[in-house]
Each structure stands twice: as C-alpha cells, then as structure tokens.
Amino acid sequence: MSGTSPATGTETGSGTGTETGSGTGTGTAVTVEQTASEQVPERREFGTGLLHTVVTGDPDRGYTWVRRPGPLSPAPFAAPGLDLAGPHGPAAPIAPDAPDAQAPAGAVRWAPGTETAEPGGRRYRVRGPESVARRLLHHGPDEDLVAVLEGVGRLLRTLHETPVPQDLAGDPQTRPRGLVRFTDWLAGRAASPRAAYAESRLRPRLGETRMAALHALCARIADEPDPVLCHGAPALGSLVPAVPSGGADLLIGEDLCLAPWYFDLGWILGELVELKWYRGDGHPAWPRLLDALFQGYGRDLGDEWGRLAALRVLLHLHDYTAYVGWDEKTFEKYTGFAMFLLDL
C-alpha cells in the first residue's frame, strides 16, 4: 500500500473500521454515494478487516447502520444482553417510527443495536448518515459539536453509574475488546504477521521506559478492583450527528464491558487529540471539545491524559497495520506522536 494513514480513511466504530474518520483504517474502503436534488436514498458501504459498515436511509425516514465484524476480526461483538433501553437501563429508547425526532441542541442518545438476521451483526436506527469522526476530519470542529461532546460526557457518566449486572461481575470475557487486542500485541501474540512485525519495531522505537509505562497502564486497567459498566469503544465514528436537529446518537453494545471509568474518556480524548494533531490546525474549538466532554462527565483525566491518549493512538496504529496494511511512514509518524504523549 502507499501513502495512506489511519486518520485519512475511516469512519471508525469499535476501534478500526472504515471510511473517513476518527482515525482508523483506510485504503480498503468501498463507498457508494447516491445523491440528487430529490431525496434519493443514500447508501454507503465501507470497512476494513476489523469492521464492516453499511449505511442506508434518507432525512425523511431516518438512517439504518448495519455493522458486523470484518473478516480478520479476532473476536465477535460483545454478547447482547443488557437492556440499555429498558426500565432499569441508562438508555432512552429511540422510536423506530420517528428517527428524525427533534432533540435539544447537543442532546445525545444511546442507539442500542439489534441483532441482524445473519448472525454476528448489529442493526442501528439513527438520525444521521455520517459520523462525528468524518465531520471532524474533513471540516474540523464547530460549536455544535461542543454541545454534542458535553452530551456524550453526561451519557457516559450515566452509564458508569449504572449498577453492574450480577452476571457480568467477575467475568473475564467482559474486558474491553480493544484492550485485549492491544495487550496481545504488546505481548507478541498478534495474529496478524504485519502487526507482529510492527511490534518487533515498536519496542526498540519506544524504548524500555515508555514500553514499561504502557504495560503498567494496561495492567491497571485490566486489574481495576471496582470496574464500572463501560461503553468499551466510544469512538467518534460511532457518534452520529442528528440531521437536522443538532442532537446525536451514540452506537452502543458491540464493546460493552467492565473497566475503569477513565477507559471510555481516554478513548475519546485519544481520538480528539489524534485528529487535531493530524489536521494540524489551531481552531479554538478543539480544546473546547475536550472541556465540554469533561464538563458533561463531571471530572477530567488529570495527569494521566497523555498516557491514555498514547494508548488509543497506538491501538489505532495496531488496528491500521493489522486490518488495512503496513506503511513505514505511518509507523514512524504515529510512534513519534505516541512518544511525545508518553513523555508529557
């Protein structure tokens, strides 16, 4: 492959995925656009070896996102089971007959998936055709997204305060899928030959001190004595702005897990930091996006933010390498940025 990089080609979901966005995977995306002056239904299809997505719909009838693990995905989606939209869950249901219902500016709602007829996939009814990741990559931040990020913070806080179901407590299968991919990679257990080669280059590139910091962070996340119910991969590619109401829907369920509260916030922070770095612009709304996220959640990440951001950036590099392709310049660029974050 040539000259592509993680942030230029995907609309990510659970960590690497697709078309244009939060910075995961590119190059292999397949996109079909149908637009005209009339309301011609839109269809987009995109994916990598980790995640495949099909988006269909129009503004009048709403949009359906269907996602399934890609052909190289090392694990299926998390098992459905928690009723996020039920009477005791943290999610407000999205009425299937009114996907375009008006929402207050910045209002963010869960979009729980339902299983597809073909086993393994999830179907989501949402109010928009593209992700925040794609919007940020192509257009940069704006004030509407500031309100959306504050809503995401509130939504995650509500999820984290939801009591952990008894059947999930202590189950090792409920660890974050992304963390499992990353720790397997660092431990030399990558299934992909490209990822294994990247790992052999990563250790001398980062050095012992930085590698030790990553291992310590992963161990702390995995061994958290009092984990909370987490989204597991609240990617900007899973956050869909509502058209035209100004709200947003956050896809949930594929990576639902138990983890420390800061795992979810660190995921989003890492993607925002990466996108700002990749675009190289100094738009004043970038820091406001993070401030809004933390304000909505009620706390920030303190001094750990650099390491958490580096974890997300390097997981993204792994996913790009394993599920899209190896690129020398991308490896050098992303590891250099991770080194900067780890040294903060």
Side-chain angles (χ1 to χ4, degrees):
M1 74 177 271
S2 66
T4 56
S5 68
T8 59
T10 70
E11 190 161 337
T12 98
S14 61
T16 299
T18 58
E19 185 196 40
T20 303
S22 83
T24 343
T26 93
T28 61
V30 176
T31 304
V32 179
E33 297 281 0
Q34 294 177 322
T35 57
S37 56
E38 310 88 43
Q39 288 291 350
V40 177
E42 178 173 326
R43 176 184 169 85
R44 296 205 328 278
E45 183 174 352
F46 46 88
T48 69
L50 184 63
L51 181 69
H52 181 266
T53 302
V54 177
V55 177
T56 57
D58 60 57
D60 291 334
R61 291 174 294 179
Y63 297 88
T64 298
W65 290 46
V66 176
R67 310 207 306 186
R68 64 183 61 258
L72 300 179
S73 177
F77 291 156
L82 181 66
D83 185 7
L84 290 164
H88 304 296
I94 297 174
D97 59 341
D100 59 342
Q102 293 294 308
V108 181
R109 307 189 302 191
W110 292 125
T114 57
E115 292 189 84
T116 56
E118 184 180 347
R122 299 286 166 83
R123 178 180 180 271
Y124 304 89
R125 288 286 285 160
V126 298
R127 296 170 290 165
E130 69 173 6
S131 71
V132 166
R134 188 182 191 204
R135 181 165 153 183
L136 281 171
L137 180 63
H138 289 292
H139 305 292
D142 56 61
E143 291 304 320
D144 288 345
L145 291 181
V146 172
V148 166
L149 265 294
E150 184 173 353
V152 170
R154 289 194 297 267
L155 204 61
L156 288 175
R157 185 62 179 256
T158 301
L159 177 65
H160 295 170
E161 292 177 346
T162 301
V164 175
Q166 288 277 335
D167 57 339
L168 293 182
D171 183 353
Q173 300 304 313
T174 58
R175 288 183 177 179
R177 292 196 311 152
L179 183 69
V180 172
R181 290 198 307 276
F182 190 73
T183 53
D184 282 352
W185 185 42
L186 293 190
R189 297 192 297 266
S192 160
R194 292 191 303 262
Y197 173 68
E199 188 272 333
S200 72
R201 296 275 302 274
L202 184 70
R203 284 177 279 119
R205 170 76 164 149
L206 265 59
E208 292 185 6
T209 299
R210 297 187 189 97
M211 289 295 293
L214 286 171
H215 281 292
L217 176 59
C218 291
R220 186 154 60 89
I221 294 170
D223 298 336
E224 168 63 41
D226 190 23
V228 300
L229 193 63
C230 278
H231 183 289
L236 299 173
S238 297
L239 182 59
V240 183
V243 178
S245 68
D249 301 321
L250 181 55
L251 312 187
I252 187 171
E254 298 166 13
D255 290 87
L256 202 67
C257 64
L258 300 182
W261 64 271
Y262 53 81
F263 184 80
D264 277 348
L265 262 66
W267 190 288
I268 302 175
L269 173 139
E271 293 195 354
L272 288 171
V273 167
E274 178 188 344
L275 277 168
K276 179 184 184 300
W277 162 74
Y278 187 86
R279 280 179 55 87
D281 69 62
H283 195 292
W286 282 112
R288 289 206 288 273
L289 293 179
L290 281 173
D291 289 344
L293 173 68
F294 297 143
Q295 181 175 338
Y297 190 81
R299 64 189 298 188
D300 61 27
L301 293 167
D303 294 339
E304 285 292 305
W305 77 267
R307 292 184 180 187
L308 289 164
L311 171 61
R312 181 67 189 99
V313 167
L314 288 172
L315 174 60
H316 188 180
L317 175 63
H318 163 272
D319 289 347
Y320 178 77
T321 302
Y323 308 118
V324 179
W326 165 260
D327 182 75
E328 182 79 28
K329 290 182 179 179
T330 295
F331 177 83
E332 292 296 320
K333 183 175 181 178
Y334 270 69
T335 52
F337 185 46
M339 290 161 66
F340 165 78
L341 292 169
L342 289 166
D343 290 345
L344 289 174

